[in-house]
Amino acid sequence: MNLAQGVEGSNAALNISIFAVFVVITLVIVFRASRTSKTAVDYYAAGHSFSGAQNGIAISGDYLSAASFLGIAGAIAVYGYDGFLYSIGFLVAWLIALLLVAELLRNTGRYTMGDVLSFRMRQRPVRAAAAVSTLAVSFFYLLAQMAGAGGLVALLLGIEAKAGQALVIAVVGIIMILYVIIGGMRGTTWVQIIKATLLIVGAFAMTVWVLGKFGFNLSSLLGAAVEKVGDGGEALLNPGAQYGISGTSRLDFVSLALALVLGTAGLPHILMRFYTVPTAKEARRSVVWAIWLIGIFYLFTLVLGYGAGALVGAETITAAPGGQNSAAPLLAYALGGTVLLGLIAAVAFATILAVVAGLTITASASFAHDIYANVIKKGTVDDKAQEVKVARITALVIGAVAIVGGIVASGQNIAFLVALAFAVAASANLPTILYSLFWKRFNTQGALWSIYGGLTVCIVLIVFSPAVSGGEKAMFPSVDFHWFPLANPGIVSIPVAFLLGYLGSVLSKESTEAKYAEMEVRSLTGAGAEKAVTH
């Protein structure tokens, strides 16, 4: 049965009404949160007032994007073992965030990544570079989420026309802009907490339901998934179904894994979440909460993926309008009919909204705080309200760009676009953050070479990779100008960015060692760190 046909009529109305209820409830919460968003610290960092547990739930809400929920369940349903490797990469990445970044970042910065990178450098050039890379990562990530919104709507409401999808992408963009402009970081955080709770509860309910169908026996679930495929079904349980045995595809997999594992600790919208807690100890607690929640969720995706493979079948999934991304909604339909499908659809929508709001507030804060306040105004903004006003205007502009970009990118593979954002984050941001925190000799020239060099190499390799041209799954399948063999550039661009940071620092005579001592004490002990604001 074609899902798009099964979703027309009463079903589409049900999906929209469930989603509308979510939007109304969250907008009320955002309005209430906005009453206490008076100052810059309220708008950017929610007054450093959330507890570790609350922030941990919000981080998981920010991190478990449409790619996690729809993309990974689909990849497991179609490719089995290889699909689960995404989950492992996304989860292992948090250990780097926990052990190397969370606490030190919370102590050193105020609102943005630029605060940490420019702590002991020349302020203006480094802040400008940090803002450029933040905007680049946010843009790629936003594209992925907005394209996901368009694809999801085609699937759940049976809207096949491009104009209809464009309208829905615009509606998602407008709601997200409202969240950010009205509620600031506090409102956005509450949206993420609600969404994470809904997503994890929904995935848990479906997981129990699927396991119940197979007598709570994982072996019989896996066996049923293999049987459904028929000949060659064993491949689902072994590596190699998606990333073959050839040399290039193995390298491609290593490159993707590197980007996923090292990218998380450089994602600006994740880093910014560490500033919403009162102390570094709470920042560490929030990461531990996030690791548990995200880890449990990814275990659910294993059951959901194989469950979709067993109950729906890989052929049906790949033939559906949304391709692999339709595995979770199709499974919901197979289990609980239109009502469960409506609920899961609303959760998937909520997922996109919350992640997009988090990205928008990060990008607007980076522009207002790093470029407007510190580069254009040279750090002399007397009126903090003016800086927040600039952040709100920027949020409007970014929202508009995201809507246009989402309409253009609609129909692209979500997981590919997200992996791209991770590669840019791992190449442009992570080397600079680690050098800033841990290497005495690091200086302004090293930071600029590392950020701009990593960003340029990464984007150039992406443009000339088989992911953009030359293959049937490429963005432009009809032309072929690729000369770089790998779909993900991480294995080349990340080491190049580290090398450029080293060379730039060694070849420059500037010394930042005096400020490094202060930064080291502050990052490790929290002496002089930003305090929580009480209302």
Side-chain angles (χ1 to χ4, degrees):
M1 163 178 185
N2 186 340
L3 183 70
Q5 289 159 3
V7 174
E8 279 164 17
S10 64
N11 203 352
L14 178 77
N15 291 348
I16 293 171
S17 51
I18 296 174
F19 180 56
V21 169
F22 170 82
V23 171
V24 169
I25 292 170
T26 46
L27 277 175
V28 168
I29 290 168
V30 166
F31 270 110
R32 293 193 57 171
S34 70
R35 291 179 192 165
T36 50
S37 286
K38 293 179 177 63
T39 60
V41 71
D42 283 323
Y43 185 80
Y44 293 142
H48 308 299
S49 61
F50 282 97
S51 71
Q54 286 173 322
N55 193 42
I57 298 169
I59 287 176
S60 61
D62 215 346
Y63 193 67
L64 295 172
S65 61
S68 301
F69 181 43
L70 303 173
I72 293 177
I76 294 172
V78 177
Y79 298 113
Y81 183 98
D82 279 15
F84 192 53
L85 294 171
Y86 265 105
S87 299
I88 295 168
F90 280 141
L91 182 62
V92 171
W94 277 99
L95 295 176
I96 292 176
L98 172 67
L99 300 174
L100 296 179
V101 176
E103 199 175 347
L104 307 176
L105 237 118
R106 169 64 189 89
N107 282 336
T108 316
R110 290 182 68 197
Y111 309 136
T112 65
M113 189 176 77
D115 290 333
V116 178
L117 300 186
S118 65
F119 193 91
R120 58 193 178 102
M121 316 281 177
R122 295 202 307 279
Q123 291 275 327
R124 294 175 70 198
V126 174
R127 279 190 183 275
V132 166
S133 79
T134 296
L135 291 169
V137 176
S138 301
F139 178 69
F140 277 122
Y141 219 104
L142 268 172
L143 270 189
Q145 300 304 324
M146 294 304 239
L152 194 65
V153 171
L155 185 69
L156 301 167
L157 307 184
I159 298 176
E160 299 291 332
K162 282 283 178 216
Q165 288 185 32
L167 180 67
V168 175
I169 291 175
V171 170
V172 170
I174 290 162
I175 296 170
M176 156 206 93
I177 293 168
L178 283 177
Y179 283 159
V180 173
I181 290 179
I182 298 165
M185 182 53 106
R186 200 182 299 261
T188 305
T189 302
W190 279 114
V191 171
Q192 284 163 347
I193 289 173
I194 294 166
K195 169 243 137 155
T197 312
L198 285 175
L199 182 61
I200 291 168
V201 168
F204 172 70
M206 277 175 71
T207 301
V208 172
W209 200 329
V210 168
L211 284 174
K213 281 199 177 287
F214 296 95
F216 292 96
N217 183 338
L218 196 59
S219 297
S220 34
L221 167 63
L222 297 178
V226 169
E227 268 175 40
K228 185 85 173 175
V229 175
D231 292 340
E234 290 292 327
L236 281 180
L237 307 180
N238 299 316
Q242 185 172 11
Y243 301 98
I245 327 295
S246 72
T248 336
S249 57
R250 280 186 177 180
L251 256 185
D252 216 346
F253 176 68
V254 173
S255 193
L256 172 72
L258 262 180
L260 296 182
V261 171
L262 299 177
T264 297
L267 287 175
H269 65 292
I270 297 294
L271 299 176
M272 197 170 169
R273 291 236 53 89
F274 298 139
Y275 299 129
T276 61
V277 290
T279 61
K281 184 182 171 203
E282 291 294 314
R284 214 172 44 238
R285 267 192 68 204
S286 59
V287 178
V288 172
W289 267 84
I291 287 176
W292 274 105
L293 291 170
I294 292 164
I296 289 167
F297 179 80
Y298 282 145
L299 286 176
F300 293 160
T301 61
L302 186 64
V303 175
L304 296 181
Y306 278 117
L311 296 171
V312 181
E315 280 184 18
T316 318
I317 291 167
T318 43
Q324 277 182 43
N325 295 331
S326 59
L330 279 167
L331 175 64
Y333 189 73
L335 291 173
T338 50
V339 176
L340 187 62
L341 175 68
L343 288 168
I344 294 303
V347 168
F349 254 138
T351 297
I352 289 172
L353 261 185
V355 174
V356 166
L359 285 162
T360 307
I361 195 160
T362 305
S364 66
S366 184
F367 181 84
H369 183 63
D370 291 330
I371 292 185
Y372 173 75
N374 289 292
V375 176
I376 298 172
K377 293 286 188 182
K378 302 181 185 171
T380 56
V381 182
D382 303 324
D383 184 12
K384 280 290 183 189
Q386 180 61 28
E387 192 182 310
V388 174
K389 188 178 168 191
V390 170
R392 289 192 159 119
I393 294 167
T394 313
L396 260 175
V397 174
I398 291 166
V401 170
I403 290 169
V404 174
I407 291 168
V408 172
S410 186
Q412 290 299 334
N413 180 334
I414 303 179
F416 157 68
L417 288 167
V418 169
L420 231 68
F422 272 78
V424 174
S427 308
N429 298 347
L430 187 73
T432 328
I433 292 170
L434 293 182
Y435 277 146
S436 293
L437 292 171
F438 298 108
W439 187 33
K440 239 184 244 184
R441 276 283 281 116
F442 195 53
N443 55 31
T444 307
Q445 182 174 298
L448 296 179
W449 282 25
S450 181
I451 293 178
Y452 288 131
L455 192 62
T456 310
V457 170
C458 188
I459 289 179
V460 166
L461 291 183
I462 286 168
V463 169
F464 292 105
S465 77
V468 173
S469 70
E472 48 190 68
K473 289 187 176 177
M475 287 176 100
F476 305 108
S478 52
V479 287
D480 185 358
F481 48 81
H482 90 280
W483 47 260
F484 182 66
L486 306 178
N488 198 299
I491 201 166
V492 176
S493 59
I494 299 167
V496 165
F498 273 105
L499 180 67
L500 286 171
Y502 171 76
L503 289 176
S505 300
V506 174
L507 297 174
S508 162
K509 294 190 170 53
E510 179 195 7
S511 169
T512 58
E513 292 188 22
K515 280 285 273 185
Y516 177 73
E518 182 194 334
M519 183 171 174
E520 188 174 36
V521 169
R522 178 164 163 175
S523 67
L524 293 172
T525 63
E530 291 284 308
K531 295 286 178 277
V533 177
T534 49
H535 285 287

